[in-house]
Structure formats: C-alpha cells, structure tokens
Amino acid sequence: MNSSVIAEAVRDGAPVVKSVRVQALTLTSFRNYERASLTFRTEGAALLGDNGHGKTNLLEAIYYLELFRSARGARDRDLVRFGDAGFHVVAELDGSPRGALRIAAGYDAATQKKKVSVDNVEVTRLSDAIGAVPAVLFSPADVALVRGAPAERRRFLDVMLALADRGYLLALQRYRQALAQRNAALRALNGHARDAESLDAVAAFEPALADAGAIMLTKRHAWAADAAPAYADTLDAIGERTSVSLSLKRSAAGKVDDSEMAAWLRTTFAAQRAHDVRRGTTHTGPHRDEVQLLLDGRDLRSFGSNGQQRSAAIALRMLEARTLHSALGTAPLLLLDDPFAELDADRSARILGLLGSRGLGQVVLAVPRIEDIPRALTGLQTVRVHQGTLRPDA
Amino acid sequence: MSAIDELASELARLPGIGRKTAMRLTYHLLKQPAAQCLRLADALVGLTERVRQCEVCYNLTEAPRCPICSDPRRDVTTICAVEEAADIGAIERAAEFRGVYHVLGGRISPLDGVGPGDLTIAALVSRVQRGAVTEVILATNPSMEGEATAIHLQRQLVPTGVRITRIARGLPVGGDLEYADSVTIAQALSARREMA
C-alpha cells in the first residue's frame, strides 16, 4: 500500500494518463529570479529549499501562464524582480488541450504592458491564450477559500469554470464589462435619480448583464449538481468524519434554461434599479451569489475547526482538478505548494491517492526538506532552490 | 516653450503618434519650403472654421446641410443611426444604402462619462415624430456599448410606431471560418438563416 504512484508510472514506461506537461521553463526577472531555467521530467519535479528562496515564486510563475495573473493576487508590477524593468516567463509544453507548444508572458513595468504569445504569435485577446496550461495550485493559503469572504469562493468558481468551459469565460467577460458600465451609470447618479430618463443609462446595460449572467448561472448550477456529491465523497475519502456539503445559494430556483434565467434576471435587475441607485452599485446577480459550505448544516466558515477547514479547502482544489480533468479530457498540472504540511502522513497519502485515481498528470511539488516529500511522490526528481537559483539533483 | 517643442507636443496628442514620431514630423516640416507648411496650416484653419455639423443629421459638412441630406435622390423615409460621422463613409462605400443618416455622436458608456443625454437621441426621435420616416436602422457598433445604445434607442423609438431594425452581426464576407473569433461565430450561428 501507499507505494509511490510516480515510481509505478515511471516503471511502466509511458505516462499513464493524457496530461499537460511543462517540458522546460525559463524565468527572467520574475520575483527573486534574475534568470533561471529548468527542464522538467515527464512526471514533474520536487522543489526543495528553505522558505524565502523561491519555491512558491516558481509555482506562481508556472501558474501565471494559465491565467496571466498572479495566483496570489499580486499586481503584475509587483512580480518584477526588484529594480528590473519587467519580467518574462516562457514554457515549452506538451499535451496542452489547446495544442500550444510554447507559451510566453512578458510584462514591461514602464509602459505597464503585458504581452502574451502562444507558439511565438502574440495574442490580441488574453482570453485566446487563457487555459493553454491548465493547472491547479494547492497552497496553504487555500484555507482562505473556506475561511475567507464569499468573494474568495466566487473567484474560485469563476476561474475554474472559465478554464473548463470557454463559453463561461466569454460570458464572464461580457458580464463584468456590462456590470462595470451599469455601476458607473449608478455612481454617476450620486444616490438619487433626478427623473426617469436619468435611469436610462443604467437600464441600457441590463439586457447584456442578464444574457451573460444567465449563461453563468446555468453553467454554475449544472456544475454544482455534479460537484456537490463528488465533494462530499472526496471529504469522506480523505477521512473527514463530519459531513460538509457544498451548494450554490440558488438565486434563480426553478429556472432551467438560459432564456428563462435571462428573463428572470432582466426582471430582477429592473426591480432592483431604484434600490441600486441608492446604494450606487448593482447588488444582486451572479457576481454576488454565494458558494456555501455547510458543516452539518452550519456555516463551515464560522463553525469549522482549523483541521476541518483545511481539509475542506483541499477538497475544493481536488474538485477543481476533477472538473478541469473531465472538461478538458486532460489531467491538469498539479502545483503543490507544501499543501500537506499540517496533515498527517495517512491523510496526505489518501489525498494523493485520490488525485492520482484517474491518473496523475505532471506534479510540481514544493517542500522545505526531502523528508517532507509524501511517499507517493518520492519518485519525483528533486531540484534544489537556493536564492533564486535552481539546481536539479543528479 | 520653443516653436519646435510646441508643434511636437501638439502632434504627439494625435492618435497613433508618439513623442518620437512627433519630433520627426516637426523636423521634416522644418526642412520643407515655408509655403508647404503654410498650406498645412491653412488646411487646419479651414478644417476648424468651415467644418460643422449638419443641422439635420449631425454629419460633418461645410454647408448647413450635409451632401446626403441635400441630395433629393436619397430616401428620407429610412434613417440609419450611426455612432460617428466616420461610420457614414464606411456605409457609403458599400453603396447599398439609399436612405439618410443620423449621427449620434458616440455611444452610451458610463465608464467614459457618456450618458444618453450626451448623444443626439432627442433630435433623432423628433425627426421620426415629424413623420415621413418609416424605418430606423440601428447601426451602432456590435460592441457592448453599441448594443446598449441600440437598446436604449429602441426604447425611445417604440412609442413613435416606426419600424426599428438592427444591422446583422456575423461572419465577414470572404472570411475564413477558421480565423473568426468565437464570439462572432456564436453570433453567426444564433442568427443563422433558412436557405430559401
């Protein structure tokens, strides 16, 4: 039992599952890296090094190529190595669901311009490049998914569904644009509508908001119907004895398809218009809907123990990996930033076993010491991270 | 500020012209005979002094009425509403439309501080109310803001009873499906037509 899944895969020769793999990565002026390159083996790598030497930064750089945004919510200019003019990250890929072989992102601090290219062709729309490197990042900071504000869980949902489904990404982008316009129109009213006509600019963006919002809600609910039981099973399999349930606070109960949902949203936005004017913002809609996590019927956010919250957060990431895997037909890259530090060996072994149950993709693990590598991942090549330099062990 | 700097910084305000190009243009002009510079200056003065908005449709013109509004062969029962005067040129080049225009002067974009009141919407509605108009074609851009403007126009025009149409969106003629972006393809599919 608990033998190394990696070792088995390596022994059997070929990769066991269709997956996206980073073959080589080069960072320039990214965080604490002046310039560093790393060639990855098929199964991935284990990054070893003391904290503060750049393990998380390396994972952040890989993840950057998925969304072209920092996983830690940092601004682009804060990713630039201190004193440098900009950063550049480039990866050679294999098995990308979008067929990309090389993906690069650069940022120039002086002009605040971001440049992304796929196979050496600069993309005009960032959304055309998003998702070429599907990856799931497990990090100790994930506990904020459970403990943090509703916005954290909404972002989780939006990012995951946008990567799994291009239609969701496009709807999300249109929704955000319409929302920004409607909110700007509301702000311009300064809390009160002088006359009916002054509401016209607010109302003009409601159809776009409703149409895009309806697509989002339909897709979210379809996901939740499938994800809720899977989530409970996952927590059970990890060894959580209490039952945690995941659900979307249903803002449109009973509305089944896009057009019904859109009609309902249009009515809602119109009905809330006067109220929104007083608040100066759009206060209902998919951008305010909650992903609820309940522990035996009570809010896990306030009633869960540290351990329960941590397991619940890990299970959310596992759900993300599962969702991407089934939507893309490709195992996503797993970026594991010392996620099991506070879990016992049995539990982390079970988590890795579950992650690998449909075949493990490439794994990049970051841990302080070689002893911290979970048994299931001992087959990974070790790479020493020291003050922004990378040295693979022979 | 020196005359050179003054011109260069004015040129640098123009779209697509950066600081370096502005300097290059300035030095280029300095090398030309004075008469040529003066012709450019005259052209600029003429532009500001002579060009104004058509009193009917807000197109750019040098007469009180633009050439299209004063052309008796144009069909005044059909009005095509566009965001900018430059859009008229694009539609005219297609030589398909024989009606008249209405220039809105932009699109509703609260983020840019542009509301319905900043556009020539009231003028359009009163043109329609004066009668004779049977159809208004909403030819604002297929962007979110253009769409919102069209929706707003529709609401304003419905009480007049005029026929309101929206230009179609979809694949460009002679285009390649493979190179079209997914939003366009989705639009083209949802607005597909029965083959007669």
Side-chain angles (χ1 to χ4, degrees), chain A residues 125 174 177-178 181 185 200, chain B residues 109-111 144-145 152 155 181:
Chain A
R125 285 191 222 194
R174 271 184 295 136
Q177 195 189 348
Q181 289 286 18
D200 285 347
Chain B
S109 179
L111 283 173
M144 173 164 296
E145 291 74 21
H152 175 71
R155 286 187 187 145
D181 66 289

Side-chain angles (χ1 to χ4, degrees), chain B residues 125 128-129 153-162 164:
Chain B
V125 174
V128 174
Q129 279 166 343
L153 283 170
Q154 182 210 5
R155 286 187 187 145
Q156 302 301 302
L157 290 168
V158 161
T160 66
V162 74
I164 306 162

Side-chain angles (χ1 to χ4, degrees), chain A residues 352-373:
Chain A
L352 284 166
L354 284 169
L355 279 171
S357 62
R358 306 173 67 187
L360 207 55
Q362 196 178 38
V363 177
V364 184
L365 171 75
V367 284
R369 291 171 308 275
I370 202 158
E371 312 81 271
D372 302 320
I373 301 178

Side-chain angles (χ1 to χ4, degrees), chain A residues 37-41 43-49 365 367-371 373 377-386 389-394:
Chain A
S37 291
L38 188 61
T39 308
F40 288 90
R41 292 190 186 162
E43 63 276 10
L47 310 171
L48 303 173
L365 171 75
V367 284
R369 291 171 308 275
I370 202 158
E371 312 81 271
I373 301 178
L377 296 177
T378 46
L380 290 177
Q381 183 195 22
T382 50
V383 177
R384 307 283 164 171
V385 181
H386 183 72
T389 61
L390 304 169
R391 190 172 49 78
D393 291 330

